[in-house]
């Protein structure tokens, strides 16, 4: 629990930050010609964090964080009068529910055999689904799909490297779910 709690807080905080950034800013994605909503880099990190937390505590502990972060984002938007943040928060929860469920289904059977591959494959599939669904729901357009996809892919690649390094330094006993 000593490791899980800070990761969970980071996860929720990054979701809230990503939602706010996506509701307010557009950024250029480094190493590409594409633009994306500014929350793109936080979302890439979130996709990898979910895998790490599942390794520590299982799906029963990680999936509720999606709803917690979405509800807090929506609440902040409501209190502040930021209707754009509320719309982003709802789109985020729906896209995360679908993509994270599919991501977990890919990650779970692979994680014990090849953790780096499990993180890379599950996060990439989750990335594509999340990018398409989120952009469609939040903005009614997939204009930023490639920017969203590649920006998150850059963060996923970094996350895979950190996963491999973390596993060498701090092996984690896997849980059943």
């Amino acid at each position: 629990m000593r490791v899980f709690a800070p990761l969970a807080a980071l996860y929720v905080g990054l979701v809230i930050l990503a939602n706010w950034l996506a509701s307010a800013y557009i950024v250029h994605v480094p190493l590409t010609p594409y633009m994306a909503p500014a929350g793109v880099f936080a979302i890439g990190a979130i996709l990898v964090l979910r895998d790490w937390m599942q390794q520590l505590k299982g799906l029963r502990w990680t999936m509720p964080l999606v709803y917690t972060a979405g509800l807090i984002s929506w609440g902040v938007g409501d209190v502040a009068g930021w209707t754009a943040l509320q719309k982003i928060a709802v789109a985020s929860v729906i896209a995360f529910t679908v993509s994270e469920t599919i991501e977990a289904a890919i990650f779970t059977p692979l994680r014990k055999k090849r953790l780096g591959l499990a993180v890379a494959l599950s996060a990439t599939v989750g990335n594509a689904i999340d990018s398409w669904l989120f952009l469609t729901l939040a903005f009614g357009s997939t204009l930023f799909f490639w920017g969203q996809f590649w920006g998150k892919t850059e963060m996923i690649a970094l996350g895979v490297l950190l996963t491999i390094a973390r596993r060498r330094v701090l092996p984690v006993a896997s849980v059943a779910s």
Side-chain angles (χ1 to χ4, degrees):
M1 192 63 145
R2 286 184 9 203
V3 175
F4 183 80
L7 289 177
L10 178 61
Y11 181 92
V12 171
L14 281 173
V15 170
I16 295 164
L17 175 65
N19 287 343
W20 176 74
L21 288 170
S23 73
Y25 303 102
I26 303 297
V27 296
H28 174 261
V29 178
L31 309 176
T32 77
Y34 302 113
M35 302 292 284
V40 65
F41 303 111
I43 297 301
I46 289 163
L47 294 172
V48 173
L49 269 177
R50 195 218 51 85
D51 291 342
W52 287 10
M53 292 186 302
Q54 181 183 340
Q55 257 324 75
L56 289 169
K57 295 292 264 181
L59 287 173
R60 290 186 188 140
W61 285 80
T62 57
M63 293 307 284
L65 294 174
V66 171
Y67 306 107
T68 301
L71 183 60
I72 293 170
S73 290
W74 187 88
V76 168
D78 186 48
V79 168
W82 298 334
T83 56
L85 178 56
Q86 291 174 296
K87 184 176 179 180
I88 297 292
V90 170
S92 176
V93 167
I94 293 168
F96 264 44
T97 299
V98 173
S99 67
E100 293 290 291
T101 300
I102 293 168
E103 183 179 339
I106 294 167
F107 176 78
T108 301
L110 294 174
R111 69 185 174 151
K112 290 181 183 176
K113 294 177 185 171
R114 300 208 39 211
L115 183 60
L117 175 66
V119 170
L121 185 59
S122 65
T124 300
V125 171
N127 175 8
I129 293 167
D130 181 77
S131 294
W132 180 82
L133 192 54
F134 171 75
L135 292 169
T136 300
L137 296 172
F139 302 109
S141 168
T142 57
L143 177 68
F144 293 119
F145 177 81
W146 289 112
Q148 185 89 348
F149 180 83
W150 288 115
K152 289 191 293 185
T153 297
E154 291 172 1
M155 291 304 296
I156 290 165
L158 178 60
V160 168
L161 293 174
L162 290 173
T163 298
I164 292 166
R166 182 211 40 92
R167 189 154 192 207
R168 287 190 179 134
V169 173
L170 180 67
V172 178
S174 61
V175 294
S177 59

